[in-house]
Amino acid sequence: MVCDQGRSECGPRGFYTPSLLLCRTQAEMAHTCRGTINLSTAHIDTEDSCNIVLSSGGRTYHLKASCEVERQRWVTALELAKAKAIRMRNSQSDDSGDEEPASQSDKSELHSTLKSLASKLEDLSTCNDLIAKHGAALQRSLSELENLKLPAESGEKIKAVNERATLFRITSNAMINACRDFLELAESHSRKWQRALQYEREQRIRLEETIEQLAKQHNSLERACRGAPGLSSSATAVSSTSKGDVQPAKGEASDEDEETEYFDAMEDAPAFITVTADPKHHRYESANQTGYNESTCKDVLPKKRRRTRIPDKPNYSLNLWSIMKNCIGKELSKIPMPVNFNEPLSMLQRLTEDLEYHELLDKAVKCESSTEQMCFVAAFSVSSYSTTVHRTAKPFNPLLGETYELDRLDELGFRSLCEQVSHHPPAAAHHVYSKQGWTLWQEITIASKFRGKYLSIMPLGVIHLEFHSSGNHYVWRKVTSTVHNIIVGKLWIDQSGDIEIVNHKSKDKCQLKFTPYSYFSRDVPRKVTGVVTDADGKAHYVMSGTWDENMECSKIVQSSHASTSSEGKQKTVYQTLAPKVLWKKYPLPENAENMYFFSDLALTLNEPEERVAPTDSRLRPDQRLMENGKWDEANVEKQRLEEKQRAVRRRREAEAVEALEEGKDYEGYIPLWFERKVDPLTGELICVYKGGYWEAKEKQDWDLCPDIF
């Protein structure tokens, strides 16, 4: 049953709010809500004569009406509610994702508006008094005329005028009473608004002072630490790390204080124990085991010479405090950020960068057993995070309709295409084909939450990987990325959460755990562990390593249960063969610290290339200017592109409202190279590649591409 949060009855009229709540029954509505959907960004589709599909931000809900007429009533109500939600959202903020910071002119405009309102209220009160005064005088004059001795005909006319004047007096009195009520209500609300405004102003000033004081204290501690005599180098390193000045290295501590998720010894203990078996008693060697270590080197040499460096990052000074104090109280996605915080790559290029260790999938194709193949897929899923350990800069937000291709079919055996299919929420669709025998596709939506000292970034969406010959179809989701020390200290990134990889053909599973960093943990930082099991739940491999360096797998030859531990949990003991390295991170190129810590692949992603689509990220002017070190010009160009995108958005929303008023369907933005379909495995509505891009590239026919740059 579908119902609105603010109403007690369910029905099409209940959808006139920006959010939609999905509940079990009407009686449980206030207690057991299954979730919410933001209607302003939701996709509304109909499967058949009775079913409706709502999807937004990686969530999909299937609703069923009793008949086609009722379904149409719901769809109409949902579309109208969506249009109203869009208007409400636009009245509060801009679509571009980058608003102009609050300035002194905003405050003066607010005071001017309040002053004008008070002046109009005084004018209305004066008119109120004048109407009452002149109405009473008119009534007295008419009464005096009635008392005069006049002909009968004149008396009748005066009587009629008197009756009309009486009606006017009654109407005027009603209007005067309504005006009086309005005045009282307006004055009451005006006082409330002024008090609320004053409170918000005081809270902002208080918060600004607190943050500024914190920054000053931090700087003082830094200077005191550096200038203190008698401190050994090791003590200084520990002190610096405890204040969050450096990114925690292996075995070092971090400063997260009360913000860190701490775990005691019981929680830190692994769910299983691994014991290496004597290889003399177990003869096992698969055809691919001998080649595991080969994956640590690049076995495919590119035929085309690619660039190995980009211009060094300029040493621009940036007043972070001047930006932050204008962002207090704003929604995180609406904070204006100059290119100074960016790296010269778009989010589409960062998504493509996940393919850096594609050879893991090429090796997985050759595996004979599905559980062995799962190990390579798991190592590939972990390898995509290795580029994030030093990459604290923000990628460019793609414009709606922006694309990025990476055609390495002849050099590396695969070709990749990304497209930005939604702007709010930001969503990118990705499709990769490899002639080695696999296809990967995904639609990723980014959700973020700012929690004071750190920022949580949660990718929503499912990653699909299918091997052509075997038909093995793997599905998994990404973990949460956390950027620490947002306000003071050096930024550093951590990955935490669980990944469940499922082979939907064989029902094999791999459970990977990304352990969050903890000051009190004795484990190596950035640790990843996991177990590969078959359809019957039998464990075959143990996975171990770190998400920034390497992953290993160990074949299980025997498993048993240990005695119950002190915390009341029974652990499984796996007896394994010696571990084999599946993946090892490539070393960074020389001078990487001055080139945004880009890997060899990342250095080539924005390399100018001919014959790409006019919407390709390589052709984005602000990103190109920034890569060339012209940051001031890049900021100007960034503002121009955003204003151009805002104008297109306003026109599209006006067309949507006009279509709804005329009772017509409005499809909204339609992706160029992808189409929305219901995922048969997850039931979610996702964008999948529909074809046509590489054929258009071959013909150089880009008529479908919009003018976004």
Side-chain angles (χ1 to χ4, degrees):
M1 183 177 290
V2 185
C3 60
D4 184 28
Q5 184 179 14
R7 297 180 180 268
S8 59
E9 297 181 357
C10 294
R13 295 184 180 181
F15 281 99
Y16 290 89
T17 68
S19 295
L20 176 69
L21 291 169
L22 299 153
C23 307
R24 290 192 181 93
T25 65
Q26 186 173 350
E28 297 171 323
M29 181 173 60
H31 304 287
T32 56
C33 247
R34 290 185 178 179
T36 63
I37 281 187
N38 189 335
L39 282 180
S40 65
T41 59
H43 295 283
I44 303 171
D45 292 277
T46 54
E47 285 185 326
D48 50 36
S49 60
C50 294
N51 289 315
I52 307 169
V53 179
L54 293 175
S55 62
S56 178
R59 296 178 180 174
T60 302
Y61 294 94
H62 298 263
L63 313 178
K64 186 174 183 180
S66 59
C67 61
E68 187 172 359
V69 175
E70 185 184 20
R71 185 214 68 182
Q72 189 56 44
R73 290 176 61 204
W74 280 105
V75 171
T76 302
L78 284 167
E79 292 288 358
L80 290 172
K82 179 178 178 180
K84 182 174 181 180
I86 290 173
R87 290 196 298 272
M88 291 172 62
R89 184 192 69 191
N90 293 339
S91 66
Q92 296 173 356
S93 63
D94 205 298
D95 172 74
S96 70
D98 295 280
E99 291 181 343
E100 292 79 9
S103 61
Q104 195 64 32
S105 60
D106 296 330
K107 298 179 181 178
S108 61
E109 182 181 355
L110 181 59
H111 287 299
S112 176
T113 303
L114 291 174
K115 187 175 180 181
S116 299
L117 178 60
S119 175
K120 295 298 180 184
L121 289 175
E122 290 179 3
D123 293 344
L124 187 57
S125 179
T126 303
C127 292
N128 185 353
D129 296 337
L130 289 175
I131 289 175
K133 177 181 177 181
H134 293 305
L138 176 61
Q139 198 68 42
R140 287 195 301 271
S141 299
L142 290 172
S143 298
E144 291 172 357
L145 283 175
E146 269 190 327
N147 294 331
L148 295 176
K149 294 182 179 180
L150 297 172
E153 183 178 355
S154 299
E156 290 295 329
K157 290 183 178 181
I158 291 174
K159 186 176 181 181
V161 171
N162 196 10
E163 290 175 353
R164 292 176 182 174
T166 302
L167 290 175
F168 174 76
R169 177 175 57 81
I170 294 172
T171 306
S172 297
N173 286 337
M175 187 196 73
I176 289 170
N177 291 333
C179 289
R180 186 179 297 112
D181 293 341
F182 171 77
L183 279 170
E184 292 176 357
L185 186 62
E187 289 173 353
S188 173
H189 280 284
S190 177
R191 288 192 294 270
K192 291 180 181 178
W193 293 338
Q194 289 178 3
R195 286 196 300 269
L197 180 63
Q198 182 63 27
Y199 174 77
E200 291 296 331
R201 194 176 289 131
E202 292 173 354
Q203 288 292 98
R204 174 171 174 161
I205 293 173
R206 199 171 294 121
L207 184 57
E208 287 181 3
E209 292 174 348
T210 301
I211 295 179
E212 189 171 16
Q213 184 180 11
L214 178 62
K216 290 179 179 178
Q217 291 176 353
H218 179 79
N219 290 335
S220 300
L221 287 172
E222 278 186 335
R223 289 193 297 269
C225 180
R226 286 195 295 265
L231 285 177
S232 65
S233 59
S234 60
T236 305
V238 173
S239 176
S240 298
T241 309
S242 67
K243 297 193 292 297
D245 291 338
V246 296
Q247 176 182 325
K250 301 291 181 182
E252 289 183 343
S254 177
D255 76 315
E256 283 313 288
D257 301 331
E258 72 281 358
E259 300 293 346
T260 304
E261 293 186 57
Y262 294 130
F263 302 90
D264 59 25
M266 295 181 183
E267 294 174 328
D268 270 341
F272 55 87
I273 301 172
T274 305
V275 178
T276 303
D278 187 349
K280 296 180 181 179
H281 297 90
H282 301 280
R283 297 184 62 187
Y284 166 80
E285 194 77 23
S286 81
N288 283 289
Q289 278 278 356
T290 57
Y292 281 174
N293 286 326
E294 296 175 9
S295 64
T296 62
C297 62
K298 299 183 180 180
D299 54 359
V300 181
L301 296 176
K303 297 178 181 179
K304 181 178 178 180
R305 186 175 181 84
R306 300 285 179 178
R307 68 181 185 180
T308 57
R309 64 174 299 107
I310 59 174
D312 286 357
K313 179 181 178 181
N315 187 19
Y316 270 61
S317 61
L318 182 66
N319 189 346
L320 179 60
W321 172 245
S322 65
I323 296 174
M324 285 185 56
K325 68 179 183 182
N326 288 323
C327 299
I328 295 174
K330 286 192 175 184
E331 183 184 345
L332 181 62
S333 62
K334 306 301 179 185
I335 294 178
M337 287 294 176
V339 300
N340 306 53
F341 289 99
N342 287 21
E343 63 178 17
L345 289 178
S346 74
M347 181 58 74
L348 302 181
Q349 291 165 312
R350 284 294 296 268
L351 195 60
T352 306
E353 200 176 342
D354 288 354
L355 300 170
E356 180 158 15
Y357 299 94
H358 63 92
E359 67 268 14
L360 289 170
L361 302 183
D362 297 341
K363 292 181 181 294
V365 173
K366 304 173 185 178
C367 292
E368 296 180 357
S369 72
S370 58
T371 54
E372 185 182 3
Q373 188 178 70
M374 175 69 84
C375 294
F376 282 101
V377 175
F380 174 78
S381 70
V382 175
S383 70
S384 63
Y385 297 99
S386 63
T387 61
T388 66
V389 65
H390 299 295
R391 302 272 288 281
T392 56
K394 172 181 173 291
F396 279 79
N397 291 329
L399 303 173
L400 188 62
E402 186 173 334
T403 60
Y404 180 72
E405 66 158 81
L406 190 67
D407 190 356
R408 302 288 173 89
L409 200 62
D410 296 332
E411 301 170 48
L412 304 177
F414 71 88
R415 56 174 30 162
S416 165
L417 176 66
C418 289
E419 179 182 347
Q420 188 76 0
V421 295
S422 174
H423 190 60
H424 276 302
H430 186 201
H431 183 270
V432 188
Y433 165 78
S434 172
K435 63 182 181 182
Q436 303 297 332
W438 53 269
T439 300
L440 182 145
W441 67 96
Q442 60 181 320
E443 181 186 354
I444 297 296
T445 301
I446 301 297
S448 59
K449 290 184 179 179
F450 181 62
R451 304 181 185 275
K453 289 181 65 178
Y454 63 94
L455 169 67
S456 296
I457 302 171
M458 296 148 287
L460 307 176
V462 177
I463 304 171
H464 291 262
L465 172 65
E466 187 172 22
F467 291 95
H468 303 162
S469 58
S470 65
N472 288 333
H473 189 153
Y474 296 88
V475 170
W476 71 92
R477 299 175 187 268
K478 288 179 174 287
V479 295
T480 298
S481 300
T482 306
V483 184
H484 295 268
N485 292 344
I486 294 294
I487 297 179
V488 292
K490 186 175 181 179
L491 295 176
W492 61 279
I493 293 179
D494 195 18
Q495 314 288 348
S496 60
D498 298 324
I499 293 181
E500 181 183 66
I501 307 175
V502 179
N503 182 344
H504 281 270
K505 181 183 178 183
S506 65
K507 307 305 178 184
D508 299 336
K509 291 184 179 180
C510 178
Q511 299 282 353
L512 291 174
K513 179 177 179 58
F514 288 64
T515 305
Y517 179 82
S518 174
Y519 181 86
F520 297 102
S521 175
R522 295 182 180 180
D523 282 334
V524 60
R526 312 180 190 106
K527 180 181 178 181
V528 181
T529 56
V531 177
V532 176
T533 59
D534 60 18
D536 298 325
K538 180 183 177 181
H540 288 263
Y541 291 92
V542 171
M543 306 289 298
S544 61
T546 59
W547 54 261
D548 66 321
E549 284 189 0
N550 61 73
M551 284 297 294
E552 300 174 340
C553 81
S554 304
K555 183 172 178 60
I556 299 172
V557 294
Q558 186 177 346
S559 62
S560 60
H561 293 290
S563 57
T564 304
S565 60
S566 58
E567 60 266 26
K569 296 180 182 179
Q570 191 176 43
K571 297 180 181 178
T572 303
V573 178
Y574 294 125
Q575 194 174 23
T576 68
L577 296 178
K580 301 292 183 181
V581 176
L582 294 178
W583 161 73
K584 188 174 182 180
K585 182 185 177 182
Y586 302 142
L588 290 175
E590 186 180 354
N591 196 40
E593 64 277 7
N594 295 322
M595 297 188 294
Y596 309 90
F597 286 99
F598 281 0
S599 64
D600 287 330
L601 176 64
L603 289 173
T604 69
L605 292 180
N606 204 42
E607 185 176 6
E609 195 164 322
E610 297 178 352
R611 299 176 61 82
V612 298
T615 53
D616 196 272
S617 298
R618 298 175 180 88
L619 304 176
R620 183 165 172 166
D622 54 348
Q623 185 173 304
R624 181 64 61 190
L625 286 167
M626 188 217 166
E627 182 184 274
N628 293 331
K630 300 178 180 179
W631 286 12
D632 293 336
E633 295 91 333
N635 277 315
V636 174
E637 194 65 19
K638 180 172 180 283
Q639 293 178 9
R640 181 189 68 81
L641 291 176
E642 289 164 356
E643 181 54 41
K644 185 175 183 178
Q645 183 171 238
R646 282 193 287 266
V648 174
R649 185 262 304 164
R650 287 192 292 265
R651 185 179 72 248
R652 187 177 292 116
E653 291 179 351
E655 292 172 355
V657 173
E658 182 179 350
L660 284 174
E661 291 174 350
E662 295 176 358
K664 300 178 182 179
D665 293 332
Y666 185 77
E667 293 183 322
Y669 175 76
I670 302 175
L672 297 178
W673 313 108
F674 292 78
E675 60 182 347
R676 293 203 169 273
K677 288 185 177 181
V678 176
D679 190 329
L681 295 181
T682 65
E684 298 177 4
L685 200 63
I686 64 170
C687 273
V688 295
Y689 180 58
K690 64 181 179 182
Y693 178 86
W694 303 109
E695 293 78 4
K697 180 182 179 181
E698 183 68 26
K699 299 176 183 177
Q700 283 299 291
D701 179 11
W702 302 116
D703 292 341
L704 292 176
C705 296
D707 177 21
I708 60 175
F709 298 147

